């Protein structure tokens, strides 16, 4: 069966909250038919491949038998942020990539079935859990992104009194501010925040721990602390004219929260080749740029974007310029005219395990553009220094139980991801496992 396709570039429309979702929801007929294809494997590889280990055949079977409430419950039991994960997970690399039907047929559309069950639960405002009797213990969670929300919700379920401190106006972390609306509208992230609040979690926004809320206050007033602070801002390139380059994260945030005010150029350059860079390129194309070029100083073999994202953005008409490094923004009377770059050749492996880029002498080139955006990663979490915590490559170092070098302070999500790629579902799992470790500590320490 062909299930409803992606919304194509030509169909794109803007809504108050930005671009509409790329994938249409499944119809009832599509969901029933797709769920019937699942072999309900014993010891299912899809469940093993899911970082939160959702019992996938179980929730799919419940869709097939019309028990959508039960299906949603199965998902929530393993993952409180199932609606976000259904939309943003790199399923090709995880559950769907492991589906036994993938080698000879099409894998089951697990992400879209999960979204079907989650949409059912949220549209009917179904409740699933009530907090256990109060333990009298208090936990402070810093950062209301996926890691913090997951940890907060799981601890509240266990009967702890949880306060979630978030520095931004809205909770949800990158799900609210960073993941493009084509994949996840803001409303979905905020529904999940509301779900966690319904479990009894107190949310205090506008509280920047270390700035307008001293850490000492938290140490004195709470039995344990969880850091789910994510990463920092985009670093500087350190080239002349950098003040004319837009920040990729702010560009995406603008597309989600102020789409009518977002200025998109007609000839746009994106510096970087990770998933954030791909998202910036997608926005630029979908909102109307005629030409979008991504510039990366290594080759497609080293780029950090997922292969399916790379294929997607090429289909969107984005072109790539590999082995080029920006050296100067060319501008006149406050207007960007283009980017000067130098050719790169690759040398020995560097500390990241990738070939080091070396500028080729006398190889300067000029690429015209009227808008330049940088998406070259994020700064490491600065709170590690504030709290004097041990770090690993600048990320917060934790034990297997997610405890930092400071007793009773735990951490999870992007801020501890010293190796490999980071994703929402990994942050959710960290939050869940850290909650269990914190619970053990609070119970054992009386
Ligand atoms: C542009 C972009 C697109 C992405 N797309 C995907 C995708 O499609 N699929 C996917 O799986 N992953 C994606 N990711 C990665 C994913 O968003 C992250 O892995 C995930 O959000 C990590 O969750 P977190 O809770 O650790 O951090 P965050 O989501 O960053 O949340 C951290 C929260 O802590 C708050 N905070 C920070 N410091 C303080 C402080 N001192 N006091 C109080 N609050 C504080 C921040 O404001 C924020 O709300 C994307 C990331 C980016 C940047
Ligand atoms: S691996 Fe595929 S067929 Fe088997 S249970 Fe998972 S989704 Fe169903």
């Amino acid at each position: 069966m062909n299930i409803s396709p992606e919304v194509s570039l030509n169909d794109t429309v803007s809504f108050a909250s930005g671009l509409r979702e790329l994938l249409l929801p499944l119809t009832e007929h599509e969901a029933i038919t797709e769920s019937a294809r699942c072999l309900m494997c014993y010891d299912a590889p899809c469940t093993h491949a899911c970082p939160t280990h959702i019992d996938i055949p179980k929730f799919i079977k419940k869709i097939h038998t019309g028990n959508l409430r039960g299906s949603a419950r199965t998902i929530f039991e393993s993952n409180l942020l199932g609606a976000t994960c259904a939309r943003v997970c790199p399923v090709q690399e995880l559950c769907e990539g492991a589906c036994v039907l993938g080698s000879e047929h099409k894998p089951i559309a697990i992400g879209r079935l999960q979204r079907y069950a989650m949409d059912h639960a949220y549209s009917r405002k179904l409740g699933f859990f009530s907090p256990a009797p109060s333990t009298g213990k208090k936990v402070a969670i810093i950062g209301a992104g996926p890691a913090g929300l997951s940890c907060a919700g799981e601890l509240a379920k266990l009967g702890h009194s949880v306060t979630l401190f978030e520095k931004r106006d809205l909770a949800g972390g990158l799900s609210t501010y960073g993941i493009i609306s084509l994949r996840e509208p803001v409303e979905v992230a905020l529904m999940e925040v509301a779900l966690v609040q319904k479990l009894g979690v107190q949310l205090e926004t506008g509280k920047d721990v270390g700035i307008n809320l001293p850490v000492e206050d938290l140490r004195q007033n709470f039995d344990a602390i969880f850091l789910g602070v994510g990463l920092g801002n985009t670093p500087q390139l350190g080239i002349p004219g950098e003040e004319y380059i837009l920040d990729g994260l702010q560009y995406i945030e603008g597309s989600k929260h102020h789409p009518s005010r977002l200025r998109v150029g007609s000839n746009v350059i994106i510096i970087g080749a990770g998933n954030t860079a791909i998202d910036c390129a997608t926005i630029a194309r979908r909102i109307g740029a005629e030409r979008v070029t991504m510039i990366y100083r290594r080759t497609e073999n080293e780029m950090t974007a997922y292969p399916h994202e790379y294929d997607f953005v090429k289909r969107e008409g984005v072109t790539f310029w590999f082995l080029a490094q920006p050296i100067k923004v060319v501008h006149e009377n406050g207007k960007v005219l283009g980017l000067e770059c130098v050719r790169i050749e690759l040398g020995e492996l560097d500390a990241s395990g990738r070939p080091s880029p070396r500028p080729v002498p006398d190889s300067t080139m000029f690429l015209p553009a009227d808008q330049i955006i940088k998406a070259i990663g994020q700064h490491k979490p600065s709170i590690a220094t504030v709290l004097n915590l041990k770090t690993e490559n600048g990320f917060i170092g934790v034990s297997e139980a997610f405890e930092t070098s400071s007793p009773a302070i735990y951490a999870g999500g992007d801020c501890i991801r010293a190796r490999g790629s980071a994703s929402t579902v990994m942050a959710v799992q960290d939050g869940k496992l850290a909650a269990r470790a914190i619970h053990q500590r609070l119970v054992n320490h009386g």
Side-chain angles (χ1 to χ4, degrees), residues 45-188:
C46 53
T47 292
H48 283 290
C50 168
T52 56
H53 306 303
I54 294 172
D55 190 337
I56 292 169
K58 189 170 169 187
F59 94 70
I60 291 181
K61 186 171 189 177
K62 287 181 176 172
I63 291 178
H64 189 60
T65 55
N67 178 6
L68 290 181
R69 184 191 176 95
S71 177
R73 188 184 179 93
T74 301
I75 296 162
F76 279 131
E77 275 165 0
S78 299
N79 184 332
L80 282 178
L81 274 66
T84 287
C85 289
R87 289 167 166 86
V88 310
C89 267
V91 285
Q92 297 85 339
E93 318 290 321
L94 300 173
C95 53
E96 292 182 19
C99 175
V100 295
L101 292 175
S103 51
E104 297 194 9
H105 307 273
K106 259 172 57 176
I108 300 292
I110 300 169
R112 293 180 81 178
L113 286 171
Q114 180 168 320
R115 174 173 157 195
Y116 184 74
M118 291 287 95
D119 285 355
H120 175 88
Y122 278 106
S123 64
R124 283 162 185 76
K125 299 189 169 42
L126 300 180
F128 291 93
F129 307 104
S130 38
S134 170
T135 60
K137 299 289 181 187
K138 292 167 72 183
V139 184
I141 311 274
I142 306 177
L149 286 168
S150 166
C151 188
E154 299 291 346
L155 283 166
K157 274 163 62 183
L158 293 165
H160 303 293
S161 161
V162 184
T163 310
L164 188 48
F165 297 101
E166 167 56 50
K167 69 178 179 182
R168 307 281 321 248
D169 293 339
L170 295 174
L174 288 168
S175 305
T176 297
Y177 288 105
I179 292 183
I180 54 175
S181 305
L182 281 168
R183 218 169 291 131
E184 179 180 18
V186 174
E187 293 77 5
V188 174

Side-chain angles (χ1 to χ4, degrees), residues 235-308:
Q236 291 288 311
L237 283 160
I239 60 171
E242 184 155 5
E243 63 276 19
Y244 290 96
I245 299 183
L246 304 179
D247 179 306
L249 287 176
Q250 286 174 13
Y251 195 73
I252 294 173
E253 185 176 324
S255 77
K256 289 193 88 161
H257 291 271
H258 321 287
S260 57
R261 300 211 302 265
L262 184 73
R263 191 188 80 75
V264 172
S266 64
N267 186 5
V268 180
I269 291 179
I270 316 282
I271 303 171
N275 291 313
T276 305
I278 297 252
D279 285 353
C280 292
T282 306
I283 291 168
R285 276 294 284 151
R286 292 246 165 184
I287 298 187
E290 280 165 29
R291 187 181 166 82
V292 178
T293 310
M294 296 183 66
I295 291 194
Y296 180 48
R297 58 191 183 148
R298 293 187 173 93
T299 71
E300 61 185 342
N301 299 330
E302 290 84 27
M303 61 192 277
T304 53
Y306 291 121
H308 65 271

Side-chain angles (χ1 to χ4, degrees), residues 88 143 146-147 166-167 173-174 178 183 207-209 228-229 413-414 423-424:
V88 310
E166 167 56 50
K167 69 178 179 182
L174 288 168
R183 218 169 291 131
K207 290 286 163 64
D208 194 338
V209 175
V229 291
D414 283 6
S423 65
T424 302

Side-chain angles (χ1 to χ4, degrees), residues 186-200:
V186 174
E187 293 77 5
V188 174
L190 296 183
M191 277 176 347
E192 291 182 326
V193 174
L195 172 102
V196 168
Q197 286 180 282
K198 258 201 196 153
L199 291 169

Side-chain angles (χ1 to χ4, degrees), residues 138-140 142 165 209 213-225 227 383-389 404-410:
K138 292 167 72 183
V139 184
I142 306 177
F165 297 101
V209 175
L213 179 60
V215 179
E216 269 325 301
D217 287 7
L218 301 182
R219 282 196 209 264
Q220 276 166 23
N221 295 321
F222 292 89
D223 300 294
I225 296 174
L227 307 172
I383 204 160
T385 322
V386 177
L387 294 176
N388 204 16
L389 301 175
T404 67
S405 54
S406 182
I409 300 189
Y410 294 73

